[in-house]
Amino acid sequence: MNLISSEIKETYTLLKDKKFSYAESRAMVLLNKEPGNPKVFELIGDIYSNQRNYKKSVWYYLSSCEQDEHNTDALYKLGENIYYLEYYALAEAYLKMVIEKEPLYTQAYITLGLAQQERDNLEEAIMCFEDAININPQEVFAYLNLALLHKKNKNFDEAIKVYQSAIINNPNNHFILSNLGNLFYLQKKYEDAVLCHEKAVKIEPESVVAHYNFGNTLYHAGQFEEAKKIYQKTIALDPLFNRAHSNLGSLDLLNQNFVEGFSAYHLRIFNDPLLKKIISKQKTIWRGESIDGKRIIVCAETGYGNIVQFARYIPILKQLNCEIIFSCPSEIQHLFENISEIDEMISPEQDCEDFFCWVPIMDLPGILTPDFLQGCPLPVDIKINDNKLQEWEVLLGIDEKIKIGLCWQGNPNNPRDHLNSINLSLFKDIISIPNTSFISLQKGAARKQIENSGFSEHVIDYDPLMDQGSQKFLDTVSILKYLDLVITTDTAIAHLAGSLGVQTWVLLPKVPDWRWFLNTEESIWYDNMRLFRQGSAGDWESVMNDLQTETETIVRNITDLRSPA
């Protein structure tokens, strides 16, 4: 080994130890010694790439390639770093050059697949991942990305086949087993999921993520004691893993262990994007100490339903003689204009420095009314626009039919969406009940199910007229006031309808969100609400049977009341 090669090797040792400044200084000395050495250019590119300074790394990799056109490693790194800069088309061009020069360069296929995925060239991306697997059947990352693509397209059976093939070729890989377990969990095949996760944690007993995934599966399979033990094991492995703490808290709250539950559930805030800015200020989080005469910011958390439900605690907070600033997304601030106890409303993006402390809105029940089962405060008084109310009185019309609002799908980005949302086709028998008029309260892609299910004549879709401005739910709350009944899954619609006093039926999975608790048809939050629960995980059929019977009854009763004596 010549001297320059030895020095390059020693500099890589500095890079491995993350001594970036020393490595960079030494590499620049080497570049002065041999300004045309492609390996030195590649070294400097590696130094900057490891620091995620991709703009600089790209320049040095390009210089390395210009000095040595046969160095496919440097060419690959060039394409990879351009990919990190999100110049996906250019990255594709360089990665294809790598494959042309070296057809068995597995990692080039994977990164090319990722670039094509970013450009929505999904078929090409799938082919790239499959090529990588054909070249190297032990290439775990290729399997994971291929399965992820199939999952995004809801091709769960194909994703399972990919994972099963991956396990055959990588029998002791806990990560693949854990991901397969997660896929079975999404399909509510909890027994299969539990087996996968058990194997995963046995293979890698120190894996925090594997334990966390296992805990989630046990939780939603209703195996609460086992789930609690696994969450506790996860926390023992990594005490700073906030999601494990918050899920453990959610489990305790579901089972009405309120003191422990609210304490652990508090740590959810560190994974909430709406709270990121306020947390970065490192100001005091209120936990119940005196705030007499102080300014406090009540911070909304992600999920419109959460905000509507827990805003009811603001009037109680005001009794502590404090000044309340309500940090709430601007698009729904209009809903809370009737809460006189709010002194000021701001958006989460706004800067506000003049305050004593702040509190996440979902922490309020645990602080203000820890025994809230015995005295839950009344729902918030939702503000309704008078002009909109008049508009919808005309649009909906007045007739003898029983008006029923339907909402069957929530936010697809909600981690619980696969549990809460159902397909509109399941309402087939219900929407055929005589003397009814069904009105869609649905927004987004789920509206396509009205046409796809052949329900266009039975379910009225007012979406082109609903909430088209910057204010969310402006029209929706007016529509709700004219309905006889609302049937919805666990969405913001449930909380809006509940707060407005409309008779509301909520369809819940076997293991619901903690706020609905277990084994009761009533809700502590809303007197006008009834809960319809799955008998077993994924069993919406029995829910629909009960729902049809009860809907027929309520339609008959309302019809009788409206009939002339």
Side-chain angles (χ1 to χ4, degrees), residues 189-329:
K189 297 178 180 178
Y190 295 122
E191 289 185 7
D192 293 330
V194 166
L195 287 174
C196 289
H197 289 308
E198 281 180 337
K199 291 179 182 177
V201 297
K202 187 175 182 180
I203 291 170
E204 187 49 70
E206 301 301 311
S207 172
V208 175
V209 173
H211 279 86
Y212 174 71
N213 290 338
F214 190 14
N216 289 344
T217 294
L218 290 168
Y219 181 0
H220 291 103
Q223 300 180 37
F224 299 130
E225 288 303 317
E226 293 84 350
K228 191 166 188 174
K229 291 176 184 176
I230 296 297
Y231 281 138
Q232 289 169 339
K233 173 64 175 177
T234 308
I235 293 166
L237 290 169
D238 182 1
L240 300 179
F241 194 21
N242 293 321
R243 285 180 296 171
H245 285 281
S246 62
N247 282 17
L248 179 57
S250 180
L251 189 157
D252 277 325
L253 290 173
L254 178 67
N255 289 280
Q256 302 184 26
N257 300 321
F258 298 119
V259 175
E260 293 179 4
F262 278 117
S263 176
Y265 189 59
H266 169 77
L267 294 178
R268 75 195 175 280
I269 68 173
F270 297 104
N271 296 107
D272 191 325
L274 266 190
L275 301 178
K276 186 175 181 180
K277 185 169 185 175
I278 189 78
I279 288 173
S280 70
K281 293 179 180 293
Q282 298 185 329
K283 293 273 191 172
T284 301
I285 302 176
W286 185 60
R287 303 309 294 268
E289 63 274 17
S290 174
I291 48 174
D292 187 9
K294 305 290 186 181
R295 280 165 62 89
I296 181 171
I297 300 182
V298 176
C299 292
E301 301 178 49
T302 296
Y304 295 133
N306 293 331
I307 304 170
V308 171
Q309 180 181 1
F310 292 99
R312 69 181 67 199
Y313 286 91
I314 291 176
I316 297 176
L317 179 65
K318 189 67 175 180
Q319 295 174 15
L320 301 181
N321 193 33
C322 57
E323 185 177 342
I324 296 176
I325 305 167
F326 188 26
S327 174
C328 173

Side-chain angles (χ1 to χ4, degrees), residues 488-549:
T488 179
T489 53
D490 185 0
T491 68
I493 293 296
H495 298 286
L496 287 168
S499 297
L500 291 167
V502 182
Q503 189 159 195
T504 307
W505 293 352
V506 183
L507 315 182
L508 297 176
K510 173 67 175 176
V511 178
D513 187 87
W514 70 266
R515 75 196 73 203
W516 307 117
F517 306 119
L518 296 167
N519 306 319
T520 176
E521 290 186 359
E522 297 179 345
S523 167
I524 68 164
W525 310 102
Y526 307 100
D527 292 337
N528 52 304
M529 185 172 284
R530 181 176 174 184
L531 308 178
F532 287 76
R533 300 175 181 273
Q534 288 181 346
S536 57
D539 176 23
W540 288 116
E541 185 176 349
S542 61
V543 174
M544 289 298 159
N545 289 336
D546 292 342
L547 190 63
Q548 181 178 357
T549 301

Side-chain angles (χ1 to χ4, degrees), residues 104 106-107 110 129-145 162-176:
L104 300 182
T106 309
Q107 197 59 42
I110 295 174
F129 297 136
E130 288 176 344
D131 286 340
I133 291 168
N134 289 333
I135 295 168
N136 181 7
Q138 277 75 47
E139 184 52 68
V140 172
F141 199 56
Y143 288 109
L144 295 175
N145 279 283
V162 171
Y163 283 133
Q164 289 173 334
S165 177
I167 291 170
I168 290 171
N169 291 289
N170 302 271
N172 294 316
N173 189 289
H174 75 283
F175 202 60
I176 293 172

Side-chain angles (χ1 to χ4, degrees), residues 73-208:
D73 287 336
L75 185 61
Y76 167 72
K77 292 172 185 176
L78 174 61
E80 181 185 43
N81 280 248
I82 291 172
Y83 165 78
Y84 292 147
L85 287 171
E86 300 182 5
Y87 296 118
Y88 301 121
L90 185 59
E92 281 188 35
Y94 280 108
L95 293 165
K96 286 178 179 178
M97 289 170 59
V98 174
I99 292 169
E100 185 178 344
K101 290 175 179 292
E102 194 172 328
L104 300 182
Y105 204 118
T106 309
Q107 197 59 42
Y109 286 97
I110 295 174
T111 308
L112 177 58
L114 293 173
Q116 289 171 331
Q117 186 176 332
E118 292 291 345
R119 299 182 69 200
D120 288 327
N121 299 327
L122 301 186
E123 290 186 8
E124 291 86 346
I126 287 172
M127 289 173 62
C128 282
F129 297 136
E130 288 176 344
D131 286 340
I133 291 168
N134 289 333
I135 295 168
N136 181 7
Q138 277 75 47
E139 184 52 68
V140 172
F141 199 56
Y143 288 109
L144 295 175
N145 279 283
L146 179 57
L148 182 61
L149 270 179
H150 288 309
K151 281 168 65 177
K152 284 183 176 179
N153 292 331
K154 305 295 184 183
N155 296 327
F156 293 132
D157 290 339
E158 287 300 315
I160 288 173
K161 289 178 184 177
V162 171
Y163 283 133
Q164 289 173 334
S165 177
I167 291 170
I168 290 171
N169 291 289
N170 302 271
N172 294 316
N173 189 289
H174 75 283
F175 202 60
I176 293 172
L177 281 165
S178 188
N179 275 270
L180 178 57
N182 286 345
L183 185 56
F184 282 133
Y185 157 76
L186 289 173
Q187 294 183 295
K188 305 174 188 67
K189 297 178 180 178
Y190 295 122
E191 289 185 7
D192 293 330
V194 166
L195 287 174
C196 289
H197 289 308
E198 281 180 337
K199 291 179 182 177
V201 297
K202 187 175 182 180
I203 291 170
E204 187 49 70
E206 301 301 311
S207 172
V208 175

Side-chain angles (χ1 to χ4, degrees), residues 380-441:
V380 65
D381 180 14
I382 297 293
K383 175 71 179 290
I384 303 178
N385 183 289
D386 290 337
N387 292 331
K388 288 293 184 182
L389 205 58
Q390 293 175 12
E391 286 179 22
W392 283 103
E393 182 179 12
V394 174
L395 287 167
L396 291 170
I398 299 174
D399 56 37
E400 297 302 317
K401 288 189 175 182
I402 312 305
K403 293 181 174 60
I404 302 175
L406 284 183
C407 184
W408 57 93
Q409 198 156 359
N411 184 350
N413 295 321
N414 185 329
R416 291 186 55 86
D417 183 60
H418 69 287
L419 297 170
N420 293 336
S421 293
I422 60 180
N423 195 285
L424 181 61
S425 62
L426 294 176
F427 287 89
K428 180 180 179 181
D429 295 329
I430 295 169
I431 65 171
S432 299
I433 295 173
N435 200 34
T436 58
S437 178
F438 285 87
I439 296 164
S440 169
L441 301 171

